[in-house]
Amino acid sequence: MQKEEELIQAAVQAREMAYAPYSQYKVGAALLGKSGRIYTGCNVENASYGASICAERTAALKAVSEGEREFESLAVAVDGEAPSTPCGICRQFLAEFGTELRLILVNIKGKRVDAILEDYLPEAFTPKRLAKGGRIHGTGDQ
Ligand code: THU
């Protein structure tokens, strides 16, 4: 699928922008919105290590802050022997916008793993679990 290849390439390219002077572990992400737009992100580390942010959340923040809340798929690119998986914080962060999200995890040598977010975060705590009156994204219910 051409859009899929475009998404993977966008993640590989976004990885080049990673600011990872502490871990030297560069990650790129590309999130495909239902609108067809692609939002990219990289990890951005900080001298106060805990303030660092992952590539996946960078991409999601860019998307949501530009008005997109529904997503088809997310490509994540690393340079390792095997593709990586989103960290726990990113899994939770992404689950907010749908656990059906398709994940395309790649390394820059061309290895690929396909999954859905639900595989990595079963029984997720999502807006649906909040008490009556909690907002459900994508419904216009704020
Ligand atoms: N990192 C990501 O950007 N995404 C992941 O899925 C895993 C980890 C970043 C965080 C940190 O900058 C570096 O990789 C090493 O943990």
Side-chain angles (χ1 to χ4, degrees):
M1 189 176 131
Q2 201 212 317
K3 196 77 186 175
E4 215 169 68
E5 199 42 47
E6 191 185 331
L7 195 68
I8 293 169
Q9 283 318 311
V12 170
Q13 259 183 31
R15 186 183 159 275
E16 298 292 323
M17 302 305 291
Y19 175 72
Y22 307 108
S23 73
Q24 308 291 333
Y25 188 74
K26 295 181 168 191
V27 185
L31 185 59
L32 176 62
K34 291 229 164 122
S35 70
R37 265 190 75 181
I38 290 175
Y39 303 85
T40 58
C42 61
N43 51 333
V44 182
E45 297 185 346
N46 193 276
S48 176
Y49 300 167
S52 301
I53 184 159
C54 295
E56 296 90 325
R57 272 175 291 148
T58 304
L61 287 166
K62 283 169 70 178
V64 174
S65 64
E66 292 190 23
E68 186 118 30
R69 295 181 183 178
E70 295 186 87
F71 305 104
E72 298 276 353
S73 41
L74 171 73
V76 182
V78 297
D79 178 15
E81 272 315 299
S84 191
T85 56
C87 81
I89 297 172
C90 288
R91 293 177 198 197
Q92 178 63 34
F93 195 87
L94 293 163
E96 178 77 10
F97 303 99
T99 53
E100 299 294 288
L101 181 70
R102 292 182 52 238
L103 301 178
I104 305 169
L105 311 172
V106 301
N107 70 4
I108 59 176
K109 294 174 194 100
K111 278 193 187 160
R112 170 175 171 163
V113 172
D114 284 89
I116 60 166
L117 183 56
E118 167 78 26
D119 298 336
Y120 290 124
L121 193 66
E123 313 261 350
F125 184 84
T126 65
K128 287 187 188 130
R129 291 190 191 265
L130 288 176
K132 212 172 147 200
R135 79 157 188 83
I136 309 286
H137 79 274
T139 61
D141 178 13
Q142 299 299 318

